[in-house]
Amino acid sequence: MGAATVHEFKDKKSFNNFVTSNKFVAINFTSKKISQSTWINPMFSKLSEEHPEIKFVQLDVDEISGMAQEYGVSEIPRVMCLRYLEPDYESDCANIDELTHFIKKFGELAKAPEANKLTD
């Protein structure tokens, strides 16, 4: 396992540049205003340690306005996995086991890009 790397951005341009330059990205849409958001952050950081093949991003929707709407996110917290800029998986983070399972599957896809869409 490597060191945790969860990227955070303060502006839309930096965020978009990062997402468009990486093939496999997991985004944690969060808000400091919503208490449910805080408990997912340590798990997201742990998953980033376990899956260095995925680029992990934590995005506070209050800091960069409009990003939740741009990605069709209506509930916070929300984790979305993008493969080649296309959504492959979304979770409302209510079930950590499910989220962990799909991040693992997403990591397998990142290691074998020719694989099909994420399904189970």
Side-chain angles (χ1 to χ4, degrees):
M1 277 191 258
T5 304
V6 178
H7 303 274
E8 294 186 46
F9 299 95
K10 302 290 183 192
D11 64 86
K12 187 175 181 176
K13 183 178 179 181
S14 297
F15 171 81
N16 285 336
N17 286 341
F18 182 83
V19 170
T20 57
S21 64
N22 289 285
K23 296 175 185 173
F24 292 85
V25 180
I27 305 168
N28 178 18
F29 291 90
T30 186
S31 171
K32 292 179 182 95
K33 297 177 183 177
I34 299 173
S35 62
Q36 294 97 332
S37 291
T38 58
W39 68 267
I40 191 67
N41 297 344
M43 174 56 71
F44 200 69
S45 181
K46 182 176 184 257
L47 289 168
S48 77
E49 290 176 17
E50 296 171 358
H51 299 283
E53 67 277 5
I54 301 169
K55 301 299 182 187
F56 286 77
V57 175
Q58 184 165 300
L59 180 67
D60 188 320
V61 298
D62 301 316
E63 290 186 19
I64 306 177
S65 65
M67 295 306 295
Q69 293 84 358
E70 189 171 315
Y71 282 87
V73 173
S74 59
E75 295 178 12
I76 304 294
R78 166 88 46 201
V79 171
M80 180 181 289
C81 295
L82 303 178
R83 180 166 59 124
Y84 300 97
L85 301 176
E86 294 295 321
D88 234 14
Y89 169 72
E90 282 187 59
S91 172
D92 62 5
C93 307
N95 184 326
I96 290 294
D97 291 334
E98 178 185 290
L99 175 61
T100 301
H101 171 77
F102 279 100
I103 291 290
K104 179 181 176 187
K105 298 279 260 176
F106 192 60
E108 290 168 4
L109 284 177
K111 291 177 185 175
E114 70 279 359
N116 293 323
K117 282 273 192 187
L118 181 65
T119 57
D120 197 38

